[in-house]
């Protein structure tokens, strides 16, 4: 998500948690769907040295793909193509040395139709999404994860375990501060498994050799 690095965003929370462990890169593009993402993915992640290989990649699509074709044909992607595009992205990542066990698929969040309809009316259009349809795309995402052997975070189901999930959404569709916190709290255990073995980048300041700091600072950073 493009906005995940805003104050309180889940991407910003990840970057903060992983400081001096690894860099967190935001490659979200507002309004994009899986058809467009599949096209640009090779521009975003390429085969490189072992130091350049991501330790984890999240793929978070479905909110735009699941837009109703009649009301929002530009963003809408048919369900079968959505699943195929997700699989294609996982396969591409594998081809550039990012295996399935480093990939985390994230389902779309549920849609609060009453709140989102208000936004649609303001924009001069009809309600262009339905939560039941979003659920079909969430289920497809779960199936792709199972077929491909990736981790998956089922936000669509988890958020609706709450009696009122609308507080997780700022406008019925996009994450609120509480929603960002919810996503991060459920994503972190999946990320932590993949980064737990990473060393701290450069030594703690008290551990730097006083007489010859270069002995501490010019090594590989884990001592």
């Amino acid at each position: 998500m493009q906005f995940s690095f805003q104050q309180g965003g889940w991407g910003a929370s990840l970057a903060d948690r992983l400081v001096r462990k690894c860099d967190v890169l935001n490659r979200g593009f507002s309004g994009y769907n899986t058809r467009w993402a599949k096209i640009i993915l090779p521009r975003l992640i390429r085969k490189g040295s072992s130091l350049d290989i991501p330790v984890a990649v999240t793929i978070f699509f479905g909110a735009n793909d699941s837009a109703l074709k009649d009301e929002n044909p530009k963003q809408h992607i048919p369900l079968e193509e959505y699943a195929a595009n997700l699989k294609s992205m996982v396969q591409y990542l594998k081809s550039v040395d990012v295996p399935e066990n480093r990939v985390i698929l994230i389902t779309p969040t549920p849609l609060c139709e009453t709140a989102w309809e208000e936004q649609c009316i303001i924009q001069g259009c009809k309600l262009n999404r339905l939560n039941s349809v979003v659920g079909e795309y969430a289920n497809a995402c779960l199936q792709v994860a199972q077929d491909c052997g990736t981790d998956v975070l089922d936000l669509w189901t988890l958020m609706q375990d709450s009696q009122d999930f609308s507080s997780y959404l700022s406008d019925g569709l996009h994450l609120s501060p509480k929603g960002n916190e919810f996503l991060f709290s459920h994503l972190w255990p999946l990320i932590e498994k993949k980064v737990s073995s990473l060393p701290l980048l450069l030594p703690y300041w008290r551990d730097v050799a006083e007489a010859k700091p270069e002995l501490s600072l010019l090594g590989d950073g884990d001592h």
Side-chain angles (χ1 to χ4, degrees):
M1 289 179 65
Q2 180 174 322
F3 306 120
S4 67
F5 269 52
Q6 291 182 342
Q7 185 174 2
W10 62 271
S13 296
L14 273 181
D16 180 60
R17 184 68 61 90
L18 291 169
V19 67
R20 291 182 65 177
K21 283 273 191 174
C22 60
D23 296 327
V24 178
L25 303 180
N26 178 5
R27 293 296 181 264
F29 295 86
S30 177
Y32 274 47
N33 56 35
T34 55
R35 182 183 295 165
W36 303 343
K38 185 180 74 168
I39 294 170
I40 66 171
L41 182 58
R43 294 180 57 185
L44 306 178
I45 301 178
R46 301 176 181 177
K47 198 163 189 170
S49 70
S50 59
L51 292 176
D52 296 325
I53 298 174
V55 69
V57 175
T58 61
I59 300 177
F60 188 8
F61 285 97
N64 297 318
D65 297 68
S66 61
L68 301 178
K69 183 177 181 180
D70 290 344
E71 302 299 335
N72 188 351
K74 184 163 187 175
Q75 290 181 306
H76 168 79
I77 299 296
L79 184 62
E80 296 77 13
E81 183 188 344
Y82 166 74
N85 290 340
L86 288 179
K87 286 183 179 180
S88 178
M89 285 188 273
V90 173
Q91 290 164 355
Y92 170 76
L93 289 171
K94 186 176 181 179
S95 76
V96 293
D97 300 326
V98 182
E100 298 92 332
N101 62 8
R102 295 191 179 191
V103 177
I104 303 169
L105 299 185
I106 305 176
T107 75
T109 63
L111 178 78
C112 181
E113 293 175 11
T114 53
W116 183 242
E117 186 172 24
E118 292 177 5
Q119 297 299 315
C120 291
I121 292 172
I122 291 172
Q123 297 168 22
C125 60
K126 297 178 182 178
L127 180 65
N128 57 21
R129 290 166 170 80
L130 293 173
N131 191 41
S132 60
V133 175
V134 178
E136 295 175 7
Y137 284 71
N139 286 331
C141 180
L142 294 174
Q143 187 61 53
V144 170
Q146 182 176 331
D147 293 344
C148 293
T150 71
D151 282 338
V152 64
L153 176 56
D154 185 4
L155 282 183
W156 191 82
T157 298
L158 286 170
M159 284 187 167
Q160 290 184 95
D161 285 344
S162 169
Q163 287 186 332
D164 180 17
F165 66 86
S166 64
S167 62
Y168 296 131
L169 306 167
S170 62
D171 55 7
L173 175 65
H174 300 97
L175 291 170
S176 66
K178 184 177 179 181
N180 274 282
E181 185 179 343
F182 183 94
L183 194 165
F184 172 72
S185 68
H186 287 81
L187 178 62
W188 174 246
L190 299 176
I191 294 286
E192 187 175 26
K193 291 188 303 182
K194 305 179 192 308
V195 302
S196 58
S197 63
L198 293 178
L200 189 69
L201 295 174
L202 296 172
Y204 179 55
W205 70 271
R206 292 187 185 278
D207 297 330
V208 175
E210 188 172 350
K212 290 190 175 183
E214 61 272 16
L215 294 177
S216 303
L217 303 179
L218 296 181
D220 56 16
D222 61 354
H223 61 278

